[in-house]
Amino acid sequence: MLFSLLILAIAANPQQSMPTQGLLATENIDCMSSQISAEQAQAHYALASAGKEIEAYNSVQDFVKACRAKYGWSDIQARNAFRVSIMDGWMLTDGLIENIQKLGDFKPWLDEYYDRNVLATEQQMLKDIFHSGKMDEDLSAAGYPAADEMREWAYQYFEWRGTLAGIEDDFRNGRLRR
């Protein structure tokens, strides 16, 4: 009986899908972020925004130790993997994905556009297509609203994706940027 109630409670209140889910290309980099709740991710983002990223990182040392032991990560790799949860917190705090989704089903298009135009050619391509006006043309052709605020959401989403790609690159190359 108790087991049935527990299953019903879990089904009625599933964990919120995290913004980075399905976007990460580096195997196991989500070891920590997949265990961190949406509320915790937002708290980590708030701390990082206030210049207290190390404090946020230290608050999840159980996850850090477990992931480092399981995958043989260095401390720098663990710090980068932790930053994925900060990225989740950024999107959840700003509500950017929800704002984009209210406009229609544009997130899959934005992800495909990013992958096609930026990921394969590095992040400089994003600046080039933005400054040339091609991005606005492509957004308009896809039916994305032309209002400045709504376009800003798309640009911020691409910036977020670029930052996420940088974290993965740092993870693979053993760097830790400020």
Side-chain angles (χ1 to χ4, degrees):
M1 176 75 163
L2 183 61
F3 181 72
S4 297
L5 290 174
L6 180 61
I7 289 185
L8 283 173
I10 292 170
N13 195 9
Q15 183 169 337
Q16 181 176 359
S17 175
M18 298 303 251
T20 55
Q21 188 175 349
L23 298 177
L24 300 166
T26 305
E27 190 173 352
N28 302 316
I29 196 171
D30 66 342
C31 178
M32 282 182 265
S33 64
S34 64
Q35 300 177 67
I36 293 173
S37 72
E39 294 78 20
Q40 287 173 309
Q42 289 175 297
H44 297 156
Y45 171 70
L47 285 170
S49 296
K52 297 179 181 179
E53 180 183 335
I54 292 173
E55 185 178 316
Y57 178 71
N58 288 337
S59 74
V60 294
Q61 283 303 301
D62 289 343
F63 295 143
V64 170
K65 289 175 186 172
C67 293
R68 285 189 68 184
K70 186 172 184 176
Y71 298 111
W73 291 347
S74 68
D75 186 53
I76 289 174
Q77 286 175 308
R79 288 278 304 275
N80 279 307
F82 170 71
R83 286 179 170 176
V84 172
S85 76
I86 293 172
M87 297 299 290
D88 284 327
W90 175 11
M91 284 296 102
L92 293 169
T93 299
D94 288 357
L96 187 59
I97 292 174
E98 289 80 13
N99 287 339
I100 291 169
Q101 288 173 333
K102 287 176 191 174
L103 301 175
D105 196 18
F106 288 106
K107 186 178 176 299
W109 185 88
L110 293 172
D111 286 331
E112 188 225 314
Y113 188 83
Y114 180 87
D115 292 343
R116 188 177 65 242
N117 290 288
V118 181
L119 200 55
T121 58
E122 297 300 324
Q123 295 174 13
Q124 184 61 39
M125 183 66 161
L126 184 60
K127 291 178 185 173
D128 294 344
I129 60 177
F130 175 78
H131 290 299
S132 71
K134 182 178 180 343
M135 184 184 297
D136 277 324
E137 291 171 11
D138 294 342
L139 286 167
S140 293
Y144 194 90
D148 289 345
E149 179 183 28
M150 294 173 195
R151 288 292 165 106
E152 187 65 30
W153 294 340
Y155 308 149
Q156 288 174 358
Y157 183 69
F158 289 140
E159 178 185 354
W160 177 79
R161 286 287 312 266
T163 303
L164 188 60
I167 290 170
E168 288 191 85
D169 186 55
D170 289 350
F171 177 90
R172 286 188 297 272
N173 294 304
R175 293 186 305 241
L176 187 66
R177 296 181 213 185
R178 289 232 170 251

